Amino acid sequence: MKSTSLVFGVKQTARSLRQNALMSLASVLTVALSLLVAGLFGLITANLGHIARLAEQQVEVTVFVHDTLPVEAVRTVESQLKALPGVTQVTFVSKDEALARLKAVFANDKDLLAEVEQQNPLYRSFEVRTARPEQIKPTAEAAGKMTGVVKVNYKQEVIEKLFRVTRAIRVSGLAIMVALALAMVMIISNTIRITVFARRREIAIMKLVGATDGFIRWPFVCEGVFLGVVGAGFTSLALWSSYSWAWSGVQRGMPFIPLLPKQPLLLDLTVLILGAGALIGAIGSALSLRRFLRV
Amino acid sequence: MKSTSLVFGVKQTARSLRQNALMSLASVLTVALSLLVAGLFGLITANLGHIARLAEQQVEVTVFVHDTLPVEAVRTVESQLKALPGVTQVTFVSKDEALARLKAVFANDKDLLAEVEQQNPLYRSFEVRTARPEQIKPTAEAAGKMTGVVKVNYKQEVIEKLFRVTRAIRVSGLAIMVALALAMVMIISNTIRITVFARRREIAIMKLVGATDGFIRWPFVCEGVFLGVVGAGFTSLALWSSYSWAWSGVQRGMPFIPLLPKQPLLLDLTVLILGAGALIGAIGSALSLRRFLRV
Amino acid sequence: MIELVDVTKVYPNDVVALKNVNLKIDRGEFVFVVGPSGAGKSTLVRLLYREEVATRGQVIVHGKNVARLRRSSIPLLRRTIGVIFQDFKLLPDRNALDNVAFALEVTEASRREIRRRVPAVLDLVGLKDRARAFPHELSGGEQQRLAIARAIINGPSILVADEPTGNLDPDTSWGIMNLLQTLNRNGATVIMATHAKAIVNAMKKRVVAMDHGRIIRDQVQGVYAHEVN
Amino acid sequence: MIELVDVTKVYPNDVVALKNVNLKIDRGEFVFVVGPSGAGKSTLVRLLYREEVATRGQVIVHGKNVARLRRSSIPLLRRTIGVIFQDFKLLPDRNALDNVAFALEVTEASRREIRRRVPAVLDLVGLKDRARAFPHELSGGEQQRLAIARAIINGPSILVADEPTGNLDPDTSWGIMNLLQTLNRNGATVIMATHAKAIVNAMKKRVVAMDHGRIIRDQVQGVYAHEVN
Ligand SMILES: Nc1ncnc2c1ncn2[C@@H]1O[C@H](COP(=O)(O)OP(=O)(O)OP(=O)(O)O)[C@@H](O)[C@H]1O
Ligand SMILES: Nc1ncnc2c1ncn2[C@@H]1O[C@H](COP(=O)(O)OP(=O)(O)OP(=O)(O)O)[C@@H](O)[C@H]1O
Ligand SMILES: [Mg+2]
Ligand SMILES: [Mg+2]
C-alpha cells in the first residue's frame, strides 16, 4: 500500500465520518453503550468472584488440643498441621483468647458467661486455613488423626452451601458475562453492517471506477476502528468514574464488603475494552463489506 | 385514514421488510439482544430484591421473660407484643426448646453442653418479627418496658449491616436496571435511526410525489412496531426458557436460595418486554423520521 | 395559473441560480424552457412544486403563494403537479408497477382505480412488459418513461417535465411528445425544460430561454435558438 | 483490442438483453452504438468493463477474456477503461473535485499528480467554478460533465460513453464531442451509446445499430438511421 492510499484512507475516513455524522454518532453511541454494559458486568462479576474467593478463604478448620497436652507436643501438632498439603495459615488460640471470643459472641447473655468464666472449659485450638476449599475436608481428617487432638471442627454444611453458592455465582457470572459480551459484539457488528449496507451503492461505484477491494476496505476498517475506539473511550471514562464512585461509596458505607481495589482492575478493563472496540470495529467493517465488494 | 392507506401501510411494511431483509434482520437482532440484556437483569434484580426482603424478614427481636413470671403473665406479654404496631409474628420458645437450640449450635462442644444441661440457665422467650425492618428497634424498646421482661435481644450490628447491604442491592440493582433499560432504548432507537437514515432519499422522493407526512410515517411506524415486537418475542422466549432452566437448577442444587416463582414473574416480564419493544419501535421510527420529512 | 414575480433563488452555497425572474403561464399553455446547462431551468421548475423555496420574490401557483403554504397543504399542491424529474427519482425498492401506483396511493385512490389505471399508463409509455422490473433492472430510457408514467397517472393539471427525453431515442421521444401534447389538449398546463432542439423547433410552442439565471427570451411559437450560423 | 464472440446476455429475470452478438473494434476506432430504448446498448458496453458477465460467448478486451479474469485483475481492467455511466454514478458524499480525484487515487497516483490534473480536467468540461459542489448541488448537465471528467482523467485507452450528452444543450454537447474526438485522435478507442441523431449524423463515424438485443447494422461512416421519410 503506497502512501497515497494511506493518506487517502485517512482523508476518506474523516470525510465519511463528517458526511455521515448522524450515522457515525449513532454508531459510536451504540458501541459505547454496548461496551459499557459489558464492562459494567465485567466489574460486577470480577467483584463477586473476589468476594466469593474471600468468603471461601474464611472457611477454616478448628483443631482442638487436649488440656493436658504439654506445650512441646502442641508445637509438634502445629508443625504437623503446617506440613499438610494446601495449608496456608495456622493460628494458635489460647484458652484465654477462646474465652474472650465467646464473651464477644454472647455479650448479651451475662448469666451464661458468668458461669463459664468461673472455670474456663474451653480448649486451646489451632485455626487452620487452606489454599482451596476442597482441601478443608482432607485437612480436617488428617488433623483428627494427630496425637493430642481432641476434636476437629468444620462447618461441613455451611461450607458446602457456601461452595455451591460461590460456584453458582462464578459460573453464572461468567456465563452472563460471556453471553453479554457476545450480545454486544453482535449489536456492534449489526450496527456496522447497517451502516455499510446504507452505503452499498457507493461501494459499487468505487469498484466500477477501478478501486481494488483493499483500497475500499481500508477506509472502512479505519472508520470501524475509529468508531470502536471512540465508543470504547467513552465507555472507559464512564466505567472509571462509576466504579470509583461505587468503590468509595462502599468503602464509606459498607466497609465489610471487600471490593477489588481500583487498580489494576480499571486499567486492565480499559485496555480490554479499547482493544475490543477496535477489534470489533475493524473485523465488523471488513466482514460486513465482503458481500458488497462482489461487483 | 382511509382503508387504502391502511392496506398500503401493511403492504409497504411487508415490502420494506423483504427488500431490506438484511437490515431488518440486523435490527430485529439488535432489539432482541438489547431487550434480552435488560430482561435478564430485570429478573436478577427482582430476585435479589426478593432475597433481600426475605433476609430482612428473618431479622427478629428476642424478648426474654423472667423465670419467675407466672404463665398468665407470660400470656399477657405475648398479647402485648402482638398488639405492637408492625409485629407480624410472635413465637414462644420454652426453656427446653432454648436448650435444644443451644445444643444444636454447640453440637461439638460436649463439655460445655453437659455443664449447661445440669441446670438449664436459659430463659423462656418470644421471637418477634415485624413487617418492616425499621420497626425492629421501636418494637424492642417497647418490649423492654413490659413487666416481666428480663432483657431484649436484637443483633443491632448485624441488622444494620444487613439493611445496608440489602438497601445497596436494591438501589444499585434498580439503578443498573434503569441505566440498562435506557441504554437499550437508545441502542434500539439508534438502530432505527440508522435504518431510517439509510432510506432518507426514498422518503424525500415520496414527499415530492405528494405523500403526506402521516402517509409516509405510518408504514415506518408499522415496521418499527413489527421489528420491536418480533425482537421482543425472541427475547421473551429466551428469558422464559433460561429462567425456567436456572430456576429448576437452583431448586435442585441450592434449595436454600429462595427464588421468585416463575409465574406471574415471567408473564409480567413478557408483557412488559413486548410492550416496550412495540413502543420503542413505534416512537423510535416516528421520531427518527421527523427530520427527513422536512422536504 | 402560474406566476413568478421578481423571483431570485440563491442556494446555500451562494450560487445565484435565478435572478429577478418574472414569468406568467396561463392555464393550458405548453411552454418550453431552454438554455445552456446550469442556466437555472431545473431551479425554476423546482420552485413550482416547492422542492425549493424562492429566496426573494413570489411564486404563485393556483392563485396561492407557495412559500406561504401550510406544511400540511404542500402535499395537496404536489398532487396537482405531475413532475418528471431530471434524475427520475424512482423508488429503488419498488417495481415499475408499484412506483407508478405509489403516486395514486398517496391520493388515497381506491384499489380498483389503481388496478385499472396503472397498467393502462404503463402501456401508454411502452413499459407493459417491464411492469415487474425494479428501476435498476430497467434501461435508462425505460426508467425515464417510468418517471413519465408516474407523473401523468394522477391526471395533473400542471405537468412539469425536466428533460423528459434525454435518454430516449428520437422515435420514442416523439411518442412521448405526442403524449404530452394530448394531455395539454385535454387541459393540462405543460412546462418542459429541455435541450432537444429538434423537438422544440418542430413543435412551435412558447419558448422561454434562460441563461445565467435570467430569462433572456420569451417567445410565442418560438424556436430553440436564434442561430447565428 | 475489443472483440465480442457470439455473446448472449440473459438477465436474472429472464430478459434477453443481447442475442448472439458479434463485434470487433480495433484500437483507436470511434464507434457509435445506436438503437431504440431497451435495445441492449448499455448492456453491451457493461460487458466490456465487466459490470455484467456474458451468459454465453466471449468478451475479449486487451486480448483477454474478461469473464476469466482473476478477481484481483478486474480493477486493473477497469482502470484502462474510462466509463461515462448513463446514470452518472457519482459519489454523493464527495464534491466535484474529489469525485474526479477518486478515479486517480485508486490508481495510486501521486498527490502532486492529482493536484495538477484534476483541476485541469474540470476546466476542460467547464466545471472549474463548481469544483467544491456536491453532486446534488449540480445541475443535470453539470453532473453529466462531472461524470465525463472522471472518465477521462486517467487517460484511458478505451473510453466508454453511455449517452454522454443526454442532459446537455447542443453547444455543450458539441464541446464534449470535440473533447472525445481529441482523445480519440490521441489514441483512445471510443465507444459511445447515444440517441443524439444530429451528432451521429454529423460525425460520420462507424455506427453500430442495435434492436432487440441484436446488431442490425454495422456501418463505417454511418448515420443514425436510414430514414424512411
Ligand atoms: N440489471 C438488469 N436486470 C434485468 N433486466 C435488465 C437489467 N438491465 C437492463 N435490463 C433489460 O435489458 C434490456 C436492455 O437494456 P439496456 O440497458 O442494455 O438498454 P439500452 O439499449 O441501454 O436502452 P436505453 O437507450 O434506454 O438506455 C432492457 O429491456 C432492460 O429492461
Ligand atoms: N441544491 C443546489 N445547491 C447548490 N447549487 C445548486 C443546487 N442545485 C443547482 N445548483 C446550481 O444552480 C445552478 C442552476 O442549476 P439548475 O439545476 O437550475 O440548472 P439547469 O438549467 O437545470 O441545468 P441542466 O440543463 O444542466 O440541468 C447551477 O450552477 C447549479 O450548479
Ligand atoms: Mg436541470
Ligand atoms: Mg442505456
Side-chain angles (χ1 to χ4, degrees):
Chain A
M1 182 161 296
K2 279 212 303 188
S3 80
T4 319
S5 70
L6 197 108
V7 168
F8 169 76
V10 174
K11 255 179 59 190
Q12 153 76 355
T13 307
R15 175 191 297 116
S16 162
L17 290 170
R18 212 173 43 240
Q19 292 292 332
N20 300 297
L22 189 97
M23 215 134 110
S24 304
L25 193 78
S27 311
V28 166
L29 218 69
T30 301
V31 171
L33 290 170
S34 303
L35 289 175
L36 186 64
V37 169
L40 212 59
F41 288 97
L43 283 177
I44 293 177
T45 308
N47 274 294
L48 284 181
H50 177 62
I51 292 173
R53 194 165 51 250
L54 287 184
E56 284 178 356
Q57 281 169 3
Q58 301 292 325
V59 172
E60 54 189 23
V61 182
T62 316
V63 179
F64 296 93
V65 293
H66 231 288
D67 276 355
T68 57
L69 204 67
V71 176
E72 303 80 57
V74 174
R75 289 269 156 71
T76 316
V77 171
E78 180 167 15
S79 47
Q80 280 176 319
L81 285 173
K82 279 186 173 154
L84 286 177
V87 167
T88 53
Q89 196 187 347
V90 177
T91 318
F92 179 67
V93 180
S94 67
K95 283 178 85 78
D96 290 345
E97 193 170 342
L99 186 64
R101 287 193 189 175
L102 192 70
K103 278 186 191 168
V105 175
F106 286 85
N108 298 312
D109 235 336
K110 299 264 164 46
D111 300 335
L112 177 63
L113 284 176
E115 222 163 311
V116 173
E117 206 157 356
Q118 282 160 24
Q119 47 153 322
N120 186 342
L122 303 170
Y123 291 117
R124 289 169 294 177
S125 63
F126 289 105
E127 290 173 357
V128 182
R129 292 192 177 173
T130 58
R132 277 177 298 120
E134 310 87 75
Q135 295 164 329
I136 287 282
K137 207 175 172 189
T139 304
E141 280 164 3
K145 290 180 198 127
M146 292 173 188
T147 39
V149 169
V150 186
K151 63 172 185 231
V152 176
N153 261 7
Y154 72 97
K155 304 223 179 78
Q156 177 131 23
E157 199 200 338
V158 172
I159 289 180
E160 283 183 355
K161 259 193 194 178
L162 182 68
F163 287 178
R164 259 183 291 164
V165 172
T166 55
R167 201 180 323 119
I169 287 178
R170 280 216 193 86
V171 170
S172 56
L174 209 74
I176 289 178
M177 265 301 296
V178 169
L180 219 56
L182 276 180
M184 294 306 143
V185 167
M186 285 177 79
I187 286 182
I188 295 175
S189 65
N190 265 345
T191 306
I192 293 178
R193 192 170 308 147
I194 296 175
T195 60
V196 170
F197 180 78
R199 292 164 64 190
R200 63 196 182 285
R201 290 199 184 92
E202 271 183 80
I203 297 168
I205 294 174
M206 292 183 186
K207 286 231 54 180
L208 288 180
V209 172
T212 58
D213 291 355
F215 190 83
I216 296 173
R217 199 183 292 121
W218 167 238
F220 272 94
V221 169
C222 276
E223 198 180 325
V225 169
F226 182 83
L227 292 180
V229 168
V230 170
F234 284 127
T235 302
S236 301
L237 277 181
L239 280 181
W240 207 281
S241 55
S242 62
Y243 191 67
S244 300
W245 175 81
W247 198 81
S248 29
V250 168
Q251 282 308 69
R252 225 179 309 106
M254 290 170 283
F256 49 89
I257 295 184
L259 289 188
L260 283 168
K262 281 184 273 187
Q263 300 308 346
L265 180 64
L266 284 176
L267 216 71
D268 290 354
L269 201 68
T270 300
V271 171
L272 206 76
I273 282 177
L274 284 173
L279 207 73
I280 301 172
I283 297 180
S285 298
L287 289 185
S288 306
L289 267 179
R290 273 203 313 189
R291 58 174 289 187
F292 302 116
L293 286 176
R294 298 185 197 293
V295 178
Chain B
M1 182 163 292
K2 281 214 300 187
S3 82
T4 319
S5 70
L6 197 110
V7 168
F8 169 76
V10 174
K11 253 179 61 190
Q12 154 75 355
T13 306
R15 174 192 297 115
S16 162
L17 289 171
R18 212 171 44 238
Q19 293 290 332
N20 300 297
L22 189 98
M23 214 135 110
S24 305
L25 193 77
S27 311
V28 166
L29 218 68
T30 301
V31 171
L33 289 170
S34 304
L35 290 175
L36 186 63
V37 169
L40 212 59
F41 287 98
L43 282 177
I44 293 176
T45 308
N47 274 294
L48 284 181
H50 176 62
I51 292 173
R53 195 165 48 250
L54 286 184
E56 286 178 355
Q57 281 168 3
Q58 302 290 326
V59 173
E60 55 189 20
V61 181
T62 315
V63 178
F64 297 93
V65 293
H66 231 288
D67 277 354
T68 57
L69 203 67
V71 178
E72 303 81 60
V74 174
R75 289 269 156 73
T76 316
V77 170
E78 180 167 16
S79 45
Q80 280 176 320
L81 286 172
K82 279 183 175 156
L84 286 176
V87 167
T88 53
Q89 197 187 350
V90 176
T91 318
F92 179 67
V93 179
S94 66
K95 284 179 86 78
D96 291 346
E97 194 171 339
L99 185 63
R101 286 194 190 172
L102 192 70
K103 278 186 191 166
V105 175
F106 287 85
N108 298 314
D109 234 337
K110 299 265 162 44
D111 301 335
L112 176 63
L113 285 176
E115 221 166 310
V116 172
E117 207 155 355
Q118 283 158 24
Q119 45 153 324
N120 187 339
L122 303 170
Y123 291 117
R124 289 168 297 176
S125 64
F126 288 104
E127 292 173 358
V128 182
R129 292 190 176 172
T130 58
R132 277 177 298 123
E134 309 87 76
Q135 295 164 329
I136 287 284
K137 207 174 171 193
T139 302
E141 281 164 3
K145 289 179 198 131
M146 293 174 188
T147 39
V149 169
V150 187
K151 66 173 182 229
V152 177
N153 262 8
Y154 71 97
K155 304 222 179 79
Q156 178 133 20
E157 199 199 336
V158 173
I159 289 178
E160 283 184 354
K161 259 193 196 177
L162 183 68
F163 288 176
R164 258 183 290 164
V165 172
T166 55
R167 202 181 320 116
I169 287 178
R170 282 217 193 87
V171 170
S172 58
L174 209 72
I176 289 178
M177 263 303 294
V178 169
L180 219 57
L182 276 180
M184 295 306 144
V185 167
M186 285 177 78
I187 287 182
I188 295 176
S189 65
N190 265 345
T191 306
I192 293 178
R193 192 171 308 149
I194 297 175
T195 60
V196 170
F197 180 78
R199 291 164 65 191
R200 64 195 181 284
R201 290 198 184 92
E202 272 182 79
I203 297 168
I205 295 174
M206 291 183 187
K207 286 232 51 182
L208 288 181
V209 171
T212 57
D213 291 356
F215 190 84
I216 296 173
R217 198 183 293 122
W218 168 238
F220 272 94
V221 169
C222 276
E223 198 179 325
V225 170
F226 182 83
L227 293 179
V229 169
V230 171
F234 285 128
T235 303
S236 301
L237 277 180
L239 281 181
W240 207 280
S241 54
S242 62
Y243 191 66
S244 300
W245 175 81
W247 197 82
S248 29
V250 168
Q251 281 311 67
R252 228 180 307 106
M254 290 170 283
F256 49 88
I257 295 185
L259 290 189
L260 283 169
K262 282 185 272 188
Q263 300 309 345
L265 180 64
L266 285 176
L267 215 71
D268 290 354
L269 201 68
T270 300
V271 170
L272 205 75
I273 281 178
L274 284 173
L279 208 71
I280 302 172
I283 296 179
S285 298
L287 289 185
S288 306
L289 267 180
R290 274 201 314 188
R291 57 175 288 186
F292 301 117
L293 285 176
R294 298 185 197 294
V295 178
Chain C
M1 159 140 266
I2 295 173
E3 194 170 356
L4 276 71
V5 184
D6 208 23
V7 169
T8 296
K9 172 66 189 176
V10 184
Y11 281 110
N13 55 354
D14 293 333
V15 175
V16 183
L18 292 179
K19 274 180 223 150
N20 305 98
V21 168
N22 285 286
L23 182 65
K24 196 159 182 300
I25 297 173
D26 286 326
R27 182 186 307 266
E29 271 196 272
F30 193 122
V31 182
F32 285 114
V33 181
V34 301
S37 173
K41 305 179 293 297
S42 298
T43 303
L44 180 76
V45 299
R46 276 190 208 128
L47 295 172
L48 303 180
Y49 55 90
R50 207 182 184 281
E51 183 178 349
E52 298 288 352
V53 177
T55 313
R56 277 189 298 280
Q58 294 180 3
V59 177
I60 292 156
V61 179
H62 300 312
K64 283 184 198 131
N65 184 340
V66 295
R68 295 261 180 78
L69 282 180
R70 269 181 296 120
R71 205 169 137 66
S72 59
S73 307
I74 298 173
L76 301 179
L77 168 71
R78 288 178 181 160
R79 288 178 202 171
T80 66
I81 306 180
V83 184
I84 303 161
F85 299 93
Q86 191 168 12
D87 55 354
F88 313 155
K89 292 202 193 296
L90 300 169
L91 294 167
D93 68 344
R94 275 157 219 272
N95 63 29
L97 206 71
D98 290 335
N99 257 289
V100 176
F102 185 77
L104 269 185
E105 280 161 349
V106 298
T107 66
E108 315 221 323
S110 74
R111 302 183 61 192
R112 258 182 70 240
E113 188 79 357
I114 294 174
R115 263 203 297 270
R116 192 172 59 76
R117 279 166 64 182
V118 174
V121 168
L122 283 180
D123 199 8
L124 212 58
V125 297
L127 284 180
K128 202 167 60 171
D129 304 340
R130 311 290 291 124
R132 300 277 158 201
F134 287 91
H136 72 268
E137 297 172 343
L138 293 174
S139 81
E142 285 164 350
Q143 289 179 29
Q144 191 151 43
R145 284 178 276 156
L146 183 54
I148 295 169
R150 183 182 61 186
I152 64 176
I153 184 87
N154 261 332
S157 62
I158 300 175
L159 190 67
V160 169
D162 197 351
E163 198 71 58
T165 60
N167 284 275
L168 298 178
D169 56 288
D171 287 354
T172 314
S173 294
W174 276 112
I176 295 299
M177 288 318 296
N178 285 335
L179 187 60
L180 295 187
Q181 218 163 358
T182 307
L183 291 169
N184 177 240
R185 278 203 208 94
N186 291 336
T189 310
V190 179
I191 300 157
M192 173 167 160
T194 189
H195 296 300
K197 187 168 152 182
I199 290 175
V200 176
N201 287 343
M203 296 265 295
K204 306 241 183 312
K205 300 283 184 184
R206 179 176 171 191
V207 174
V208 173
M210 301 188 64
D211 199 5
H212 287 99
R214 293 181 193 279
I215 294 182
I216 53 168
R217 177 163 55 97
D218 189 344
Q219 193 179 22
V220 188
Q221 296 205 2
V223 289
Y224 186 83
H226 294 289
E227 302 284 326
V228 190
N229 48 340
Chain D
M1 160 139 265
I2 295 173
E3 195 171 358
L4 276 72
V5 183
D6 209 23
V7 168
T8 295
K9 173 65 189 177
V10 184
Y11 281 110
N13 55 355
D14 292 334
V15 174
V16 183
L18 293 179
K19 273 180 222 150
N20 306 100
V21 168
N22 285 286
L23 182 67
K24 196 157 181 298
I25 297 173
D26 288 326
R27 183 186 305 267
E29 269 196 277
F30 195 122
V31 182
F32 284 115
V33 181
V34 301
S37 172
K41 305 179 294 296
S42 297
T43 303
L44 180 76
V45 298
R46 277 191 207 128
L47 294 174
L48 303 180
Y49 54 90
R50 206 180 186 281
E51 183 178 349
E52 298 287 350
V53 177
T55 313
R56 278 189 298 280
Q58 293 180 2
V59 177
I60 292 155
V61 179
H62 300 312
K64 285 186 197 127
N65 185 340
V66 295
R68 294 260 180 76
L69 282 181
R70 268 180 298 119
R71 205 167 136 66
S72 59
S73 307
I74 298 173
L76 301 179
L77 168 73
R78 288 178 181 159
R79 288 177 202 172
T80 65
I81 306 180
V83 184
I84 302 160
F85 299 93
Q86 192 168 12
D87 56 354
F88 314 154
K89 293 202 193 296
L90 300 170
L91 294 167
D93 68 345
R94 277 159 219 271
N95 64 29
L97 208 71
D98 290 336
N99 256 289
V100 176
F102 185 77
L104 268 185
E105 280 161 349
V106 299
T107 66
E108 314 219 324
S110 76
R111 302 183 61 194
R112 257 183 70 241
E113 188 81 356
I114 293 175
R115 263 203 296 271
R116 193 172 58 75
R117 279 166 64 183
V118 174
V121 168
L122 282 180
D123 198 9
L124 212 59
V125 298
L127 284 181
K128 201 167 59 170
D129 302 341
R130 311 290 291 125
R132 300 276 158 201
F134 288 90
H136 73 269
E137 297 172 343
L138 294 174
S139 79
E142 285 163 350
Q143 289 179 30
Q144 190 151 44
R145 284 178 278 156
L146 183 55
I148 294 169
R150 183 181 61 186
I152 63 177
I153 184 87
N154 260 333
S157 62
I158 301 175
L159 190 67
V160 169
D162 198 352
E163 198 70 59
T165 60
N167 285 276
L168 297 178
D169 55 288
D171 288 353
T172 314
S173 294
W174 277 111
I176 296 299
M177 289 317 296
N178 285 335
L179 187 59
L180 295 187
Q181 217 162 359
T182 307
L183 291 169
N184 178 239
R185 277 204 209 93
N186 290 337
T189 310
V190 178
I191 300 157
M192 172 167 160
T194 189
H195 296 301
K197 187 168 153 181
I199 289 175
V200 175
N201 287 344
M203 296 265 295
K204 306 237 183 315
K205 301 281 184 186
R206 179 176 170 191
V207 174
V208 173
M210 301 188 65
D211 199 4
H212 288 101
R214 293 181 193 279
I215 293 181
I216 54 169
R217 177 162 57 98
D218 189 344
Q219 192 177 22
V220 188
Q221 297 204 359
V223 290
Y224 186 84
H226 295 290
E227 302 285 324
V228 191
N229 51 337

